[in-house]
Amino acid sequence: MSESNEPISHFIRNRIDADQDKGTYGGKVTTRFPPEPNGYLHFGHAKSIFLNFGLARDYDGICHLRFDDTNPVKEEQAYVDAIREDIDWLGFRDPTHEHFASDYFETLYQGAVALVKAGLAYVDSQSADEMRANRGTLTEPGTNSPYRERAIDENLDLFTRMRAGEFPDGEHILRAKIDMASPNLNMRDPAIYRIRHAHHHRTGDDWPIYPMYDYAHCVSDAIEGVTHSLCTLEFEDHRPLYDWFIDKLADLGFFERPLPQQIEFSRLNLTYMPLSKRKLIQLVEGGHVDGWDDPRMPTLKGARRRGFTPAGFKLFTDRIGVSKSDSLIDFGVLEDCMRETLNESAERRIGVLDPLKLVLVNFPEEHEETCYAPNHPQKPDWGKREVKLTRELWIERGDFALDPPKKYFRLKPDGEVRLRYGFIIKHVGHDVDEDGNVTCVYAEYDPDTKSGTPGADARKVKGNIHWLSARDAVETEIRQYDRLFNVPAPGARREGDEPDVERDFLDDINPDSIHTLTAYIEAGAANAEPESIYQFERHGYFVADQKEHAPGQRPVFNRAVTLRDSWGQGK
Ligand code: ATP
Ligand code: MG
């Protein structure tokens, strides 16, 4: 798989290249990302954002951020703000190309009037039930509405009065006059406008009628001069309708040709992570997580608090590619991408997550030794920092074993180990409590073995453990996250389920997905700004919590990912 700076080729890129070669759009590439402001963006949206904004960037084109706010009751300004922030965070926000579908309400209305005048749309006055019954099925054609042959003047009069607010919700509906016998149900005289006396977050009470998605979307694309309108596969059957509306309106002089083309790709599905706003809302509203930005949530806000990075999402979208076949990507692939990019970008620090006291019995009480730890082992130009070695240290409980298994190279009774960036030490004793737990380890250090000094390597030991001076280390809250769900496909039926068993994805929640530890970290990391990300050596990547970490207070760090994929191995 190629991960150079060369764009990765895929079928959409090939389509655009073909249009560029033919000069279809005069060399122009305009895409759009059209979120509905009714929830927070999730990992699936990241795929669409990198695709749309990324293509525009690669072809010197433009990507519009268009808020698809045609549905009045569900949308809120808070979501608009949050979506802007997320796109900004991913590195793509361009306020000069930000639009709202509601800005086009007047044009959309005028387009509908033109369709009515051309005899291409009619006002239907059947009840919702009648309309449903007359729609037909996949195997049977629909039945024409008794109102289908209304005179153009009557349609115009009724539609104008719908717009004027004269009728209650549901009394009439404006429909396209296409073909009730079409094998494609979307073409059976689909609705264009419905009556809805509802307040809109931007247009207030101006409109008692609202356009349907299938009409508003393609017309908005055409208004904005979009060339390639990329959407997920479930819209494939809607494409003939997409083309029908803009083609008819172009005939009526509303738009210039060439018109936008809709191209479908498969949506991102991840194991262990539902990616649908409807389900994410249930997680938040049911109190299963701590809000939309809970680090366990597959939202971009959650990802950011978790310490996932835009670079990681970029690598991920490159790696999974773009295609038309349904795919289910292992959550581990996303974690790998985060790990790989964080390995490049994160400075190293020391954190002792399960602390055990170690006393160097031959190290003078007031003495300190300055050791030097590299900020990044593969990047010498990032420099080194000082870490002070003192008589009392914290080491990891797991780095000392009273009864070590075979091939245990860390500290054990009478054993030797190197304190990373420091000295070789030899175990001389330990304290144990009533339950047999070690409470303190005693060791002697060898002053002739300091790392980085001539001759220090003369004596070799196998083990190498990290440590912090008990005097300088800062007590820290560390949150380690596990997957939010216990099974790869939350809510899916399992082998052996009775035929009538329905599962609820909420039943598959992992009740143990957050572990909070009291740890010690280097003072330099403890004082970092919120959102600073470090690798705590031998542990993983950790981010200073965006909300609860503040310099000068008890630090709070979240684990983004471990160093290796150890999930499922009981670690
Ligand atoms: P959801 O299914 O979570 O409610 P949505 O499709 O309703 O998402 P929109 O706000 O309408 O959310 O989506 C904005 C854009 O993001 C659309 O172009 C949509 O196709 C795309 N998108 C949404 N989910 C995914 C996904 N899982 N993979 C790729 N693209 C997605
Ligand atoms: Mg949608």
Side-chain angles (χ1 to χ4, degrees):
M1 228 171 272
S2 153
E3 275 157 23
S4 65
N5 289 330
E6 274 297 294
I8 290 160
S9 119
H10 50 70
F11 79 100
I12 297 181
R13 209 174 263 286
N14 297 343
R15 287 273 290 270
I16 296 178
D17 287 339
D19 283 328
Q20 296 292 77
D21 290 347
K22 283 185 285 183
T24 314
Y25 296 103
K28 232 177 56 159
V29 173
T30 305
T31 56
R32 87 287 168 268
F33 173 67
E36 198 178 339
N38 63 348
Y40 289 84
L41 298 183
H42 54 59
F43 296 177
H45 293 116
K47 172 172 176 171
S48 180
I49 290 169
F50 276 103
L51 181 62
N52 282 295
F53 284 92
L55 284 170
R57 195 173 272 181
D58 291 345
Y59 286 91
D60 256 335
I62 298 167
C63 178
H64 296 192
L65 167 58
R66 185 197 313 141
F67 291 101
D68 175 12
D69 60 349
T70 50
N71 193 356
V73 282
K74 283 196 303 193
E75 286 130 14
E76 281 180 33
Q77 184 60 38
Y79 292 128
V80 170
D81 296 337
I83 290 169
R84 281 183 182 140
E85 271 172 26
D86 286 345
I87 293 174
D88 214 4
W89 181 63
L90 292 180
F92 289 114
R93 191 147 176 264
D94 171 3
T96 53
H97 295 105
E98 182 183 290
H99 304 281
F100 287 83
S102 57
D103 289 342
Y104 311 136
F105 276 172
E106 185 58 34
T107 313
L108 286 159
Y109 174 71
Q110 292 304 334
V113 168
L115 292 175
V116 171
K117 286 183 177 165
L120 294 168
Y122 63 97
V123 173
D124 196 352
S125 309
Q126 294 182 98
S127 68
D129 284 344
E130 286 167 328
M131 246 178 282
R132 205 169 304 120
N134 287 337
R135 196 163 182 236
T137 63
L138 281 174
T139 49
E140 281 170 40
T143 312
N144 284 351
S145 163
Y147 303 96
R148 198 172 195 264
E149 300 308 327
R150 264 179 171 146
I152 288 177
D153 283 349
E154 189 187 350
N155 282 320
L156 203 54
D157 174 60
L158 284 169
F159 187 47
T160 314
R161 289 164 61 199
M162 279 167 65
R163 194 265 171 267
E166 286 186 27
F167 306 115
D169 289 7
E171 177 120 336
H172 303 289
I173 197 162
L174 185 74
R175 298 178 77 173
K177 198 171 189 177
I178 307 180
D179 178 8
M180 286 305 290
S182 170
N184 182 342
L185 267 69
N186 296 302
M187 299 300 273
R188 293 186 187 170
D189 292 9
I192 308 177
Y193 266 93
R194 67 199 156 140
I195 302 175
R196 196 120 194 229
H197 292 270
H199 188 83
H200 185 278
H201 76 129
R202 295 185 83 239
T203 59
D205 297 315
D206 288 354
W207 292 88
I209 54 171
Y210 288 93
M212 305 301 289
Y213 175 87
D214 279 329
Y215 175 66
H217 196 80
C218 58
V219 174
S220 302
D221 282 349
I223 291 171
E224 291 177 9
V226 166
T227 56
H228 301 85
S229 178
L230 316 179
C231 62
T232 42
L233 278 180
E234 60 276 21
F235 290 99
E236 195 161 24
D237 289 346
H238 297 238
R239 187 176 353 123
L241 183 55
Y242 182 103
D243 291 338
W244 189 90
F245 279 128
I246 53 178
D247 185 58
K248 298 296 178 209
L249 287 171
D251 285 348
L252 294 167
F254 264 75
F255 311 117
E256 308 254 318
R257 293 173 199 277
L259 296 167
Q261 53 181 311
Q262 174 181 307
I263 305 173
E264 309 85 20
F265 64 96
S266 64
R267 62 191 296 120
L268 169 66
N269 298 303
L270 275 175
T271 57
Y272 297 95
M273 280 293 184
L275 293 181
S276 117
K277 281 182 227 158
R278 197 176 50 77
K279 289 186 175 165
L280 301 185
I281 284 172
Q282 288 183 58
L283 289 172
V284 174
E285 291 186 347
H288 303 285
V289 292
D290 246 359
W292 287 99
D293 63 353
D294 185 305
R296 293 165 295 176
M297 285 283 275
T299 53
L300 295 182
K301 296 252 174 263
R304 186 170 176 174
R305 270 191 84 185
R306 173 82 176 249
F308 285 11
T309 60
F313 279 110
K314 165 85 170 67
L315 178 61
F316 177 67
T317 48
D318 284 350
R319 197 166 276 179
I320 60 176
V322 179
S323 80
K324 269 190 176 291
S325 40
D326 276 327
S327 63
L328 178 63
I329 308 287
D330 195 293
F331 188 66
V333 176
L334 178 61
E335 288 181 314
D336 271 341
C337 292
M338 295 301 158
R339 202 171 273 130
E340 282 176 42
T341 48
L342 288 169
N343 180 38
E344 286 297 309
S345 63
E347 288 200 6
R348 276 38 174 178
R349 293 290 182 274
I350 296 165
V352 176
L353 303 197
D354 187 6
L356 173 63
K357 189 58 87 53
L358 174 84
V359 177
L360 300 177
V361 293
N362 60 339
F363 199 99
E365 196 81 48
E366 295 306 318
H367 184 56
E368 63 176 38
E369 285 277 348
T370 303
C371 303
Y372 296 91
N375 290 323
H376 195 295
Q378 284 92 42
K379 298 178 198 262
D381 53 315
W382 286 21
K384 292 188 173 186
R385 61 190 191 286
E386 292 185 358
V387 276
K388 302 285 188 201
L389 187 91
T390 55
R391 180 181 164 89
E392 293 199 7
L393 307 173
W394 292 115
I395 61 168
E396 295 291 343
R397 185 163 292 279
D399 283 340
F400 176 68
L402 267 184
D403 188 13
K406 266 191 196 154
K407 298 209 172 166
Y408 183 87
F409 298 123
R410 290 165 279 164
L411 197 59
K412 54 191 168 194
D414 300 324
E416 285 193 324
V417 77
R418 176 174 284 284
L419 293 178
R420 191 170 250 207
Y421 317 125
F423 299 85
I424 293 178
I425 60 167
K426 181 176 187 338
H427 167 274
V428 293
H430 52 264
D431 296 334
V432 177
D433 68 11
E434 292 161 5
D435 301 323
N437 298 314
V438 178
T439 54
C440 185
V441 178
Y442 301 94
E444 279 177 0
Y445 87 112
D446 178 348
D448 297 331
T449 55
K450 186 172 181 183
S451 294
T453 55
D457 298 337
R459 210 147 59 75
K460 296 255 183 259
V461 290
K462 274 208 165 133
N464 181 320
I465 65 173
H466 64 265
W467 51 273
L468 282 172
S469 155
R471 203 184 60 199
D472 300 333
V474 180
E475 193 180 293
T476 298
E477 178 173 330
I478 299 259
R479 297 167 184 165
Q480 302 198 137
Y481 298 100
D482 252 345
R483 286 167 202 198
L484 188 53
F485 290 90
N486 278 324
V487 295
R493 293 170 48 77
R494 317 238 174 94
E495 239 180 69
D497 274 356
E498 296 296 323
D500 54 348
V501 167
E502 284 224 17
R503 285 190 180 272
D504 183 344
F505 82 108
L506 295 173
D507 295 339
D508 291 326
I509 285 188
N510 173 5
D512 206 19
S513 58
I514 175 164
H515 297 255
T516 304
L517 314 173
T518 299
Y520 288 99
I521 65 172
E522 276 179 60
N527 294 325
E529 291 299 316
E531 297 199 74
S532 306
I533 305 181
Y534 296 107
Q535 182 195 100
F536 291 153
E537 292 187 19
R538 300 174 64 213
H539 287 303
Y541 298 93
F542 293 78
V543 62
D545 190 68
Q546 194 186 21
K547 282 176 152 173
E548 291 167 45
H549 175 92
Q553 293 175 22
R554 188 179 195 240
V556 181
F557 275 77
N558 303 327
R559 185 174 71 194
V561 274
T562 51
L563 289 183
R564 273 171 295 280
D565 185 5
S566 58
W567 195 78
Q569 293 168 26
K571 287 194 192 154

